[in-house]
Amino acid sequence: MEPFCIMMFSDKILDLECIFTVICNLVSKLENPDEELEVAKLISTKITQQPNDKPAIRLKILFNLYNLLEGPDSRFFVYMQTLNLALNGKVTDHIIPSFKKIDSFLKEWNIGVKDQRNLFLTIADVLKENKSSGKDSFKFLTKYLTTFSGEDSYIMCEAKEEAVRTVIEFVKAPDMFQCDLLDMPAVGQLEKDAKYALVYQLLKIFLTQRLDAYLEFQAANSTLLKSYGLVHEDCITKMRLMSLVDLGSNESGQIPYALIKDTLRINDDEVELWVVKAITAKLIDCKMDQMNQVVIVSRCTERIFGQHQWESLRSKLATWRGNVASLISTIQANKVVEEGSQATQGMAIR
């Protein structure tokens, strides 16, 4: 089969797709799943040998092969081949639409943890190569990291580099202000790691502290930040927004303009500008009381959502439930009084 495959990808062949479609159709005649997998491996391996030669055509042939297969193992193998071909052949635009179906694919394939890790990591690489939204790449990196739970330290070390990558992607992203990375064991291992402890500290600053903590960290570790491609001005912008969110989470629901000025280290005339930026980013819902120089917050985004946040939410829901019950009781009581009044009036008329 090898000489034939090489020949078909020569410039003399006009319809490569049709020829390979005929070959791929042979797979559908196989009833044994193991045989189907072996033939699928043989065909897809030949197709992906030269990823830079007509990669879009090669990718389409793999899609056709995937659709002809019945076995989940065969389908998963071919899908991974399409990912690698798209990545190496730089035709990632063709494969990205399929990522919306990943959850249904996972149910169909029923693959193990190692295969899931390989899948999530490869998808994250495809999205990075494609320069897609940082949120999309971050989503699959976190999926990868969540597969590491309760593992021994040796296995957990496999995720160390990707944990660092995920942290840096979060810090870099101008439109991500919330994550659960601190709760992940794969990220937690960085805290006491000699090489990456500072990366963990940086994440903790962005998720639990304010601008002053970041500025102190940057002053001591500017070289480290530059080595990860982090731009100081961009980090300041993000930390100002996250610090403003932190101010809005206090129980009173009011933030004095002066406190915003001091916390964000800005001028008086910039306070409302930064509040508007936070509203635009959907981080807070609020009103600005210019007369009293305070921001009245009705909602703010939590940077992390852990046990404390769940307890706070539970308390708020209990209060809301009590208020609704009280309102219903008042309405019912008023209804009884009104009905009694109408009955008395009716008796008087008679």
Side-chain angles (χ1 to χ4, degrees):
M1 187 175 206
E2 184 172 356
F4 186 53
C5 291
I6 295 173
M7 180 191 73
M8 283 189 298
F9 273 109
S10 69
D11 293 334
K12 297 179 182 179
I13 303 300
L14 299 177
D15 201 345
L16 306 178
E17 187 180 340
C18 287
I19 294 173
F20 260 101
T21 298
V22 173
I23 295 175
C24 291
N25 265 294
L26 296 175
V27 181
S28 63
K29 308 297 181 183
L30 300 172
E31 296 182 0
N32 187 308
D34 293 334
E35 290 180 357
E36 181 189 73
L37 176 59
E38 288 305 313
V39 175
K41 284 182 178 180
L42 178 62
I43 296 174
S44 57
T45 300
K46 297 301 179 184
I47 293 171
T48 56
Q49 276 184 345
Q50 298 176 6
N52 296 315
D53 180 19
K54 304 179 181 65
I57 294 177
R58 293 172 182 268
L59 199 60
K60 190 172 183 180
I61 292 169
L62 283 180
F63 286 150
N64 290 336
L65 174 59
Y66 180 93
N67 290 327
L68 288 167
L69 296 169
E70 294 291 337
D73 292 342
S74 304
R75 285 193 151 203
F76 173 68
F77 180 86
V78 172
Y79 188 79
M80 289 302 301
Q81 293 289 84
T82 64
L83 289 176
N84 289 313
L85 175 60
L87 191 59
N88 297 327
K90 301 190 183 305
V91 284
T92 51
D93 283 339
H94 298 280
I95 191 70
I96 287 176
S98 70
F99 296 167
K100 296 178 181 178
K101 300 179 181 179
I102 285 297
D103 288 339
S104 62
F105 287 165
L106 286 171
K107 290 180 182 179
E108 176 192 339
W109 297 333
N110 193 29
I111 55 178
V113 173
K114 287 186 178 180
D115 284 334
Q116 287 182 38
R117 290 171 183 167
N118 189 21
L119 173 68
F120 295 146
L121 206 50
T122 306
I123 290 177
D125 289 340
V126 168
L127 291 166
K128 183 180 179 181
E129 169 67 26
N130 187 260
K131 295 181 173 57
S132 299
S133 164
K135 282 185 176 181
D136 295 331
S137 176
F138 181 81
K139 171 186 173 182
F140 284 98
L141 283 174
T142 53
K143 281 179 176 287
Y144 168 80
L145 294 178
T146 53
T147 63
F148 292 88
S149 58
E151 314 280 354
D152 60 45
S153 58
Y154 177 77
I155 296 176
M156 193 73 73
C157 279
E158 293 179 16
K160 196 173 289 185
E161 296 289 338
E162 303 310 328
V164 172
R165 172 184 167 185
T166 308
V167 170
I168 299 302
E169 286 209 11
F170 172 75
V171 173
K172 276 185 180 180
D175 56 349
M176 284 195 290
F177 303 94
Q178 182 185 56
C179 73
D180 298 324
L181 291 179
L182 289 176
D183 294 330
M184 297 182 185
V187 176
Q189 68 177 323
L190 303 178
E191 183 175 15
K192 297 179 180 179
D193 186 86
K195 184 177 180 181
Y196 297 124
L198 288 174
V199 174
Y200 183 87
Q201 185 180 340
L202 179 65
L203 174 67
K204 203 165 184 179
I205 288 171
F206 269 78
L207 288 177
T208 64
Q209 299 181 55
R210 297 178 181 173
L211 179 62
D212 57 342
Y214 165 74
L215 292 174
E216 183 180 341
F217 179 90
Q218 190 274 337
N221 302 285
S222 59
T223 303
L224 175 76
L225 296 178
K226 288 178 182 178
S227 71
Y228 284 114
L230 295 169
V231 179
H232 180 48
E233 291 74 16
D234 293 342
C235 289
I236 288 179
T237 297
K238 185 165 181 170
M239 275 305 300
R240 278 178 173 156
L241 288 170
M242 299 186 90
S243 298
L244 183 53
V245 167
D246 192 52
L247 291 175
S249 63
N250 68 65
E251 293 298 326
S252 70
Q254 294 190 0
I255 321 172
Y257 277 30
L259 181 58
I260 295 175
K261 173 194 169 185
D262 293 341
T263 303
L264 274 57
R265 301 196 180 188
I266 54 178
N267 298 324
D268 288 328
D269 59 355
E270 294 179 293
V271 170
E272 292 186 357
L273 173 65
W274 281 96
V275 173
V276 170
K277 285 183 178 181
I279 294 171
T280 303
K282 299 181 179 180
L283 294 175
I284 59 174
D285 292 333
C286 64
K287 294 180 180 179
M288 288 180 278
D289 184 344
Q290 295 176 322
M291 183 70 70
N292 296 306
Q293 295 283 285
V294 295
V295 175
I296 303 170
V297 179
S298 56
R299 180 202 66 84
C300 69
T301 299
E302 297 284 356
R303 289 185 285 178
I304 56 176
F305 210 89
Q307 185 63 32
H308 174 72
Q309 286 72 30
W310 279 114
E311 289 175 357
S312 176
L313 178 60
R314 181 180 180 181
S315 175
K316 289 177 180 178
L317 287 173
T319 302
W320 176 80
R321 183 178 180 181
N323 291 339
V324 171
S326 177
L327 179 61
I328 291 173
S329 297
T330 302
I331 292 172
Q332 289 175 340
N334 289 338
K335 186 177 179 181
V336 170
V337 171
E338 184 180 349
E339 289 174 348
S341 177
Q342 290 175 352
T344 302
Q345 289 177 4
M347 290 176 66
I349 291 171
R350 292 190 184 92

